[in-house]
Amino acid sequence: MIKYVSRLAAGLKPYIPGEQPKDKKYIKLNTNENPYPPSPSALAAAVEAAGDSLRLYPDTDSTPVREAIVTADNLPGTDWVFCANGSDEALAFAFQAFFNPGEPVLMPDISYSFYPVYAEYYHITVKKIPLKDDMTINIEDYMQPSGGIIIANPNAPTGAYLDVTDIERLVAASDCPVIIDEAYIDFGGVSAAPLVNLYPNLIIIRTLSKSHALAGLRLGYCIAQPEMIAALRAVRDCFNSYPVDYIAQATAAAAITDTVYYKEINARVAATRDRTADTLRSLGFTVVPSLTNFIFVSPHAGTASALFAYLRENGVLVRHFALPRIDNYLRISIGTDVDMDTVIRHMTAWLQA
Ligand SMILES: *Cc1c(COP(=O)(O)O)cnc(C)c1O
């Protein structure tokens, strides 16, 4: 069998996503999905799109989605936006469009674990920059010659956030492409997107999976200057000219337009997060300050892997990364208030056991 598999495929070490179990009903807090439903107007758009138009190929450039983003982010035009089938795909295209083999790309040692996977796939060297002991990023550490920089802001799985002034200092000091992955920006942070007007080396990447409760739809996008967007389109057209389907385009455009609904549910997620973090701290857990829809939690006694197993037995699924520096932490996505009360109850019982 292996004989007929390419050497490339045989040697791959792919990203491992959080599990989507089918064995029983869990409180699912392991992949940072939004606990609230997509906006009613987005769902109505999805239903309306499911008609005769599906005979035709969709718009290759996702124009309805780009128009909605231009309005929401007050951008100069649709040629400043690129849409992809989830931000994972946007990231894959961006690594190809902006980074070169042999020119090391700087990234935090603890960050989204898909970044090193893309780098290896494309033979791009990675230079990992350690986080500070408090799990935050020191922006000065990235001010050195490199082939590029990629940072998630807020970072994952820590939840720690960098101010826009820090992002601007970094982008201004760097003579290389700087990708800022804003997957979690709508849970309390301020986007660096307005800076693309000033800096041709800045690329913002976002997703509708978390803040817009549309992980199942697969829509991610980049914001950058038109020359940078053109490079992304060229890469895309070497893989797949139609990455975003017709229903996804209609649904995403409606969701991005419905700012009132999403502000409301994401403010609710943020309030639940802060309350949960405070309660866990009062129980003696270390909780990294978070501006995302998850918290990064470490127990003072016992181990994170034992707590992971205990929660799983009790029907609560969270994420544990068996990696240096963070193997005694759990990443817990923020669910509804009822979900989080259940989690707190189980974690209290675990401490007493
Ligand atoms: C979830 C996540 C993504 C992927 O989002 P999709 O649009 O669902 O592919 C990208 N970056 C970070 C940091 C994430 O946490």
Side-chain angles (χ1 to χ4, degrees):
M1 178 63 183
I2 195 81
K3 181 178 161 195
Y4 303 111
V5 166
S6 72
R7 281 186 297 279
L8 169 78
L12 290 178
K13 292 190 282 296
Y15 174 74
I16 303 163
E19 53 184 325
Q20 303 284 355
K22 304 274 185 288
D23 59 327
K24 65 174 182 182
K25 187 131 177 62
Y26 288 93
I27 297 178
K28 198 173 169 304
L29 306 176
N30 68 330
T31 50
N32 300 340
E33 289 142 336
N34 202 305
Y36 300 110
S39 94
S41 60
L43 293 178
V47 170
E48 200 188 315
D52 182 60
S53 299
L54 293 179
R55 280 189 309 108
L56 308 174
Y57 281 103
D59 179 343
T60 176
D61 284 314
S62 303
T63 303
V65 188
R66 290 186 305 141
E67 285 171 345
I69 295 164
V70 164
T71 304
D73 280 273
N74 196 23
L75 297 169
T78 52
D79 51 347
W80 293 62
V81 185
F82 173 85
C83 294
N85 190 18
S87 66
D88 285 339
E89 189 183 72
L91 284 160
F93 291 161
F95 268 65
Q96 284 248 284
F98 305 125
F99 299 152
N100 290 301
E103 297 172 21
V105 171
L106 311 181
M107 62 181 72
D109 62 337
I110 294 160
S111 192
Y112 187 37
S113 43
F114 223 137
Y115 303 152
V117 174
Y118 298 124
E120 180 155 325
Y121 189 75
Y122 296 133
H123 305 290
I124 292 160
T125 325
V126 168
K127 185 171 175 186
K128 291 193 177 177
I129 309 290
L131 296 183
K132 293 192 281 187
D133 286 340
D134 66 357
M135 298 273 164
T136 62
I137 286 169
N138 180 23
I139 214 74
E140 267 70 30
D141 296 344
Y142 295 78
M143 295 186 188
Q144 55 171 291
S146 77
I149 298 169
I150 181 158
I151 289 176
N153 189 42
N155 197 13
T158 62
Y161 169 70
L162 284 170
D163 208 76
V164 196
T165 54
D166 282 326
I167 301 290
E168 179 159 21
R169 276 198 304 125
L170 175 65
V171 174
S174 303
D175 185 24
C176 66
V178 179
I179 299 178
I180 304 296
D181 181 348
E182 294 191 333
Y184 301 101
I185 199 68
D186 290 334
F187 297 102
V190 176
S191 173
L195 298 176
V196 294
N197 290 293
L198 299 172
Y199 300 100
N201 58 332
L202 174 63
I203 306 104
I204 303 291
I205 299 193
R206 295 205 201 121
T207 172
L208 301 196
S209 294
K210 283 69 182 242
S211 57
H212 288 68
L214 287 168
L217 191 77
R218 313 306 302 133
L219 196 293
Y221 59 95
C222 304
I223 300 173
Q225 294 197 359
E227 295 76 10
M228 303 291 272
I229 297 299
L232 287 163
R233 291 166 68 178
V235 170
R236 175 199 67 199
D237 289 341
C238 294
F239 283 92
N240 179 2
S241 299
Y242 306 103
V244 183
D245 68 70
Y246 184 77
I247 296 175
Q249 290 187 28
T251 312
I256 291 161
T257 305
D258 198 347
T259 52
V260 173
Y261 174 83
Y262 285 107
K263 266 210 182 83
E264 206 273 312
I265 64 164
N266 290 331
R268 223 187 299 168
V269 169
T272 307
R273 170 196 68 212
D274 292 344
R275 174 179 76 78
T276 306
D278 286 346
T279 306
L280 293 178
R281 283 190 194 106
S282 73
L283 290 169
F285 290 94
T286 298
V287 184
V288 179
S290 168
L291 276 189
T292 63
N293 67 338
F294 58 85
I295 47 177
F296 207 43
V297 181
S298 183
H300 275 195
T303 64
S305 58
L307 176 56
F308 173 88
Y310 179 88
L311 290 173
R312 200 175 196 290
E313 263 164 45
N314 285 281
V316 178
L317 213 50
V318 300
R319 193 93 199 256
H320 177 245
F321 299 92
L323 294 171
R325 288 189 77 185
I326 58 168
D327 66 340
N328 209 33
Y329 282 83
L330 295 180
R331 193 195 68 191
I332 305 176
S333 308
I334 302 301
T336 63
D337 278 307
V338 174
D339 292 340
M340 300 323 282
D341 286 341
T342 306
V343 174
I344 290 164
R345 192 155 38 75
H346 288 308
M347 289 173 77
T348 307
W350 180 76
L351 286 175
Q352 288 159 356

